[in-house]
Amino acid sequence: FFFGGSVRFAMASRISFSQYKLEAEIEKCRGECQWDKIQNLVKQLSPKASENDDFGNLLLAEVLLEQCLKENTVKLKDCTPLMEKNEPKMREAKNHLSSILNRGKLQHNLMAEAILTLAKLHFVEGSYRDALSMYARGGIDDLCIDEEPLYKKRLLAEAFVIKGLSLERLASSVTSRVRLFEREEETMSCFEKAGDIALVYLQEVERAMVNTQSRHIKGIVPVLEMELTYFLEAALQSAYVAYFKKRNIVKGVKRIREMLRAMETRATRNFRMTIAKQLAEVLLHSLCEDSYWNPFSDPPPDLNTEESGSTLSVSYTLTTGPQLYQGDDLFCPRDIVEEALLLLLISESMANRDAVISRAPDQKKDRTISFQIASVLYDLLSITLGRRGQFEMLSECLERAMKFAFDEFHLWYQLALSLVASGKFMWAVSALRECAKLHPNDPSIPLMAAKVCIGSLHWLEEGEKFSTSVTAMEEEAGEFLAKGYLGLGLVYSLQGTEATLRSTQDNLHKKALKALRRAQSLDPDDHRVALYLSLQMAFKRQISEAIELLQAALKLQNDDMHSLHLLALLFSAQKHYQQSLEIINMAINEYPESFSLLFSKVKLEAIYKGPDEALETCKHMLNMWQKTYISQFSDWDKESSLIEGAQIDKRSTLQSSVGEGTSAEKRSTLHPGFHEGESGSQRVSSVAASRMEFAASEVSAQSTSVKNSPKHMSIILEQIWLQAAELFIQLQRTKEASFCIQEAASLFSVSHDVMFMRGRLAEVSGNLNAAKHFYDEALAMNPQSAKIMEHLGRALHKLGRSSLAEKVLRDAVQALSTSHEAWNCLGEVLQDKGRNEDAAEYFLTALELEASCPVVPFTVIPREL
């Protein structure tokens, strides 16, 4: 049959103008799949056409079949054949088509349409061989789509996909391997032709609908939304699905990329969202970074070689293919993550645009589908952005997902985790509260909230509430019950450290021990519980008991960094400095990048081996910081993976450089001038100091970019400079100390640590008034620091202001009752005032505390859930 021409020209010789206009309208409706409208138009044909004319019967058969297919879409997707006896519309359509072909009175082009329609009917009833024989009879491989009306392009797209599906489902009947390969090649050719013709058809339908609207005044007639039929959707997706089934990733990915480059239509929006998501899944699941190739390049040779056995040489050309997005400024992804992220963000935009968020009961099904689509998309976004550490961007995406998230635990929990990872801890706690409302019996949720409150926010009261909610579940909490008591123990321990009244401290100490022992009884194999029990004993200066408990923790995990660190501090409290240093060195060998261990080593070396040896360690820390900075800042600059707005809690391991009392946050006001005191370290006599100067010069050379580094890196560098300044002060090298202080000030100009060290420098230089001024400034910034109060009291005492010195020192011992320096200085003040009995008592207290004082406070061990 010759498949050419159109109905209106074939029938023009025998119809009137009104009939011609009616048939033109029928042709338009067939192209736009408006089947209900066609059924009404058929009734308006001449009585001859409506009753006896085969053309009217052909139209009626097509309408009945399409209506039947629409009613049975679920069965078609499940590959369930439709039974003629159960489908009266299909039975009537088959009768019409059979009678038309038996009479054979229609013109060739209309007869070909009848053959294609009957072939589709044979396919849906499971008669695949009959469908193939009908297509062979119609000669669809020789038909051309150029200059054909829209509905014929639809018929051809459906014909090719049905032929391909029929060949695929009959493949098991082929015994010859050669014949099987030929059939697979023919099947893939049909699928690719079907996809391209379907794209051409949908793009032309879109243009036709838009042109129809533009001809109406003020857009009174809206553009119709065309829904993809089962066979049109199958035509679009069968090719890449078949490639992936054959594990031909290269051709499958190429096919989806080609379809995504085709210009979008209203009918393909949801389909484009689906295939974009599917392509992202394939890229993330089936390809490694080295196997990636961008859309405008060839795949790697090794990937082509691996798939050569399954590659089919499908080649064909369409005179008019689908229109593609083209241009010189098209974005081209550089790696898997970029392409997957682009695909998922596009899909997310489409999903948010078409989201069904109404709570109306009749929209429950659509709402469920919207949520399922969104949930899969955001899971993939979590995987993709997580690979690059882009948790802030992920949290922003998940915030947009909250429109879907009413009573949906999964999205709320994903949001909470992303907020934790991006450093938005306050918002994370709010999200976790919502999760706890949705899943009130899940103990892991309040535990996560307690972990954030205790470790990151230092919201101890909130942490206590969340931990108590876990312990209240008792046996229902299962293995998490021990963690709940651990959380309570840590809260009480931290509250006891911050308490000022001795009675309050003792009460909280008892509560912490009780909770921690309960946790240990529930989970005796958790080394962290034993560690924190030991730490609690260390706070009360019960050193021997603390060592015994810590040995139990080390038996459970002998390479835990914090346990080794605490053991070194306990030995230093017993004045076993050599053993302490050996343990610190062993821990550093295991954790060479831990600045906390290195700061403790500096303190130990300064006491046991002298400041010169400690300066060598400071030089090593500067070199290590430089290497860490180069790697982390490079990643931070390229990926933005480190969030500037994240709250950096400075009461963690960095406290070891200046002892207790450091504040949780530093202002990141940075000086542009970084070399003010550079001339101060031109001549240093000792070898250690000269090496320190060399390392300092290397770090200072990066001063123009250090101010842009991640905040926690700047804090570490500041502490290294201040530690070096303290060592130079001990060596009476004030010029070098001044240089180090200026370098630290260039990082944080408003810092109580910098002000304190300037006061130290002024004090050893004999300028007591300047020292008092700096100590006052530091105390104003950190009014709870016992160390600052102790040095301020000492300066006031030297200035002859004994009464004020006594008051300041009493505040110091109240803020930190274990500070032997403050007790000793207070005794000196009272001795000068003639109050010898009180002074003697304070001197004894200072001696007792000094006998169990570690080189750095025990508070440097982080207490985290």
Side-chain angles (χ1 to χ4, degrees), residues 340-351:
L341 181 59
L342 176 64
L343 293 165
L344 292 172
L345 290 177
I346 292 172
S347 299
E348 184 214 11
S349 175
M350 294 179 177

Side-chain angles (χ1 to χ4, degrees), residues 203-223:
Q203 289 176 351
E204 292 188 6
V205 168
E206 177 87 357
R207 287 196 295 271
M209 288 181 172
V210 171
N211 291 337
T212 300
Q213 183 192 33
S214 63
R215 287 197 296 268
H216 290 79
I217 301 174
K218 297 181 181 180
I220 296 174
V221 178
V223 175

Side-chain angles (χ1 to χ4, degrees), residues 349-386:
S349 175
M350 294 179 177
N352 284 329
R353 180 192 60 201
D354 301 328
V356 178
I357 58 177
S358 171
R359 306 303 299 177
D362 59 334
Q363 294 193 0
K364 182 178 179 179
K365 183 178 179 181
D366 293 336
R367 188 172 62 249
T368 302
I369 294 173
S370 286
F371 168 72
Q372 289 173 346
I373 293 172
S375 181
V376 172
L377 280 174
Y378 288 112
D379 286 346
L380 290 171
L381 274 171
S382 300
I383 295 170
T384 306
L385 292 171

Side-chain angles (χ1 to χ4, degrees), residues 557-780:
Q557 187 165 339
N558 59 11
D559 61 345
D560 179 65
M561 182 181 76
H562 300 308
S563 297
L564 292 172
H565 196 176
L566 179 58
L567 183 61
L569 297 183
L570 290 171
F571 279 133
S572 72
Q574 293 180 328
K575 313 311 174 191
H576 300 156
Y577 296 120
Q578 183 176 355
Q579 289 177 280
S580 177
L581 193 56
E582 289 174 356
I583 293 171
I584 280 287
N585 286 327
M586 181 175 63
I588 290 173
N589 289 334
E590 194 72 26
Y591 303 96
E593 296 181 354
S594 171
F595 284 100
S596 175
L597 293 172
L598 288 167
F599 279 122
S600 295
K601 181 181 178 181
V602 168
K603 291 286 188 180
L604 279 168
E605 288 179 334
I607 294 174
Y608 183 63
K609 295 186 176 181
D612 285 336
E613 190 77 19
L615 280 172
E616 283 287 333
T617 303
C618 280
K619 183 204 78 167
H620 169 70
M621 292 170 70
L622 280 173
N623 290 331
M624 192 176 79
W625 182 94
Q626 186 180 27
K627 294 177 183 177
T628 307
Y629 162 79
I630 291 172
S631 61
Q632 289 197 13
F633 177 67
S634 176
D635 294 339
W636 174 81
D637 188 38
K638 293 178 181 178
E639 312 279 352
S640 299
S641 60
L642 299 174
I643 308 303
E644 282 284 341
Q647 296 183 357
I648 306 298
D649 191 340
K650 207 178 159 206
R651 61 174 60 83
S652 63
T653 57
L654 300 181
Q655 290 178 345
S656 57
S657 63
V658 291
E660 39 66 43
T662 55
S663 66
E665 194 69 45
K666 289 226 175 209
R667 293 181 59 186
S668 55
T669 307
L670 305 178
H671 265 316
F674 203 75
H675 301 282
E676 294 176 7
E678 202 166 351
S679 60
S681 58
Q682 292 296 318
R683 289 187 175 86
V684 182
S685 56
S686 71
V687 175
S690 63
R691 290 180 180 175
M692 178 71 191
E693 181 187 5
F694 177 74
S697 65
E698 289 186 342
V699 176
S700 297
Q702 298 174 344
S703 59
T704 56
S705 57
V706 165
K707 64 180 181 180
N708 297 320
S709 64
K711 189 173 182 180
H712 75 282
M713 291 296 296
S714 298
I715 293 174
I716 292 173
L717 182 60
E718 178 213 29
Q719 296 303 312
I720 296 173
W721 285 123
L722 293 177
Q723 183 64 73
E726 185 174 347
L727 294 172
F728 279 123
I729 288 174
Q730 293 178 22
L731 291 168
Q732 299 296 315
R733 301 186 182 282
T734 56
K735 289 185 178 181
E736 290 83 354
S738 176
F739 164 77
C740 293
I741 294 171
Q742 287 169 350
E743 290 287 354
S746 69
L747 295 169
F748 295 100
S749 60
V750 182
S751 166
H752 65 85
D753 290 330
V754 172
M755 290 297 176
F756 170 75
M757 199 56 66
R758 281 175 169 165
R760 288 283 314 278
L761 183 62
E763 185 177 358
V764 298
S765 301
N767 193 345
L768 295 177
N769 287 319
K772 175 185 174 300
H773 168 74
F774 288 126
Y775 290 147
D776 284 335
E777 291 285 336
L779 194 61

Side-chain angles (χ1 to χ4, degrees), residues 99-135:
S99 61
I100 290 171
L101 294 176
N102 289 335
R103 283 195 293 270
K105 293 182 179 180
L106 282 179
Q107 296 183 6
H108 287 180
N109 59 329
L110 297 177
M111 192 66 75
E113 295 175 21
I115 291 173
L116 297 185
T117 306
L118 184 58
K120 185 195 301 187
L121 191 149
H122 284 317
F123 176 82
V124 298
E125 66 180 2
S127 302
Y128 305 129
R129 294 187 186 278
D130 292 339
L132 289 174
S133 65
M134 294 302 294
Y135 288 133

